[in-house]
Amino acid sequence: MSLKEIQDKFAKAENDAGRSAGSAQLIAVSKVQPNERVHAVLKQGHRVFGENRVQEAAGKWPAFKEEFRDVSVHLIGPLQTNKARQALELFDAIHTVDRAKLAKTIARLAQELGRCPELFVQVNTGEEEQKAGVFPQEADGFIEECRSLDLPVQGLMCIPPAYEEPSLHFALLAKIAARNGLFALSMGMSGDFERAIALGATHVRVGSAIFGDRAYEL
């Protein structure tokens, strides 16, 4: 599917939901994609991208940012505290703040660096033990803790369980966000972004539908 086709589907989903055009931001997930594919999407004018790993992004985006100055790169994968400084220097948004130790590390580094990316708290809406994110019942307290550290929490992120109806998780995330006065919702991927937009998504992560299958190294 071409970038234009995805953008048209986004526009239709926004219109169908009674939302203004451009109210949902398309994050092109470029993790494990060859540089030539990423460059082709950049040349088409897209400027918001998502990466899962700090190390991979560090080897890819500084050069692209030299050529395309208005690019915004979002970390959508888990962040280790020992990679936090590099992440703050590299990314424009971090969608995976999920524990107190990481929040405190980001707060300290933000003071040192004099800047902080936009932050999203990751909520494990399915309460899956193997998945990162605070459980729904812990979300309010963790959001308050982040705010007490003066962290710029913009919204929430979730990755629904693979075999459950995602709309239930999107609705839960929106409910948690609303009661905490947050309006940014990072939710929805290639297979369910229309449902996510209908339920208020502001940031949607789409990868293979734009780039094709991921090019993992053998």
Side-chain angles (χ1 to χ4, degrees), residues 125-126 158-172 191-192 194-196 199:
T125 54
C158 76
I159 304 171
Y163 300 106
E164 293 186 17
E165 169 52 52
S167 295
L168 300 175
H169 296 270
F170 299 155
L172 174 59
D192 55 26
E194 288 98 341
R195 283 171 284 179
L199 288 166

Side-chain angles (χ1 to χ4, degrees), residues 59-75:
K60 178 188 298 180
W61 284 102
F64 280 145
K65 283 189 170 186
E66 284 294 315
E67 184 177 356
F68 304 95
R69 298 283 182 166
D70 53 346
V71 165
S72 177
V73 184
H74 296 223
L75 179 64

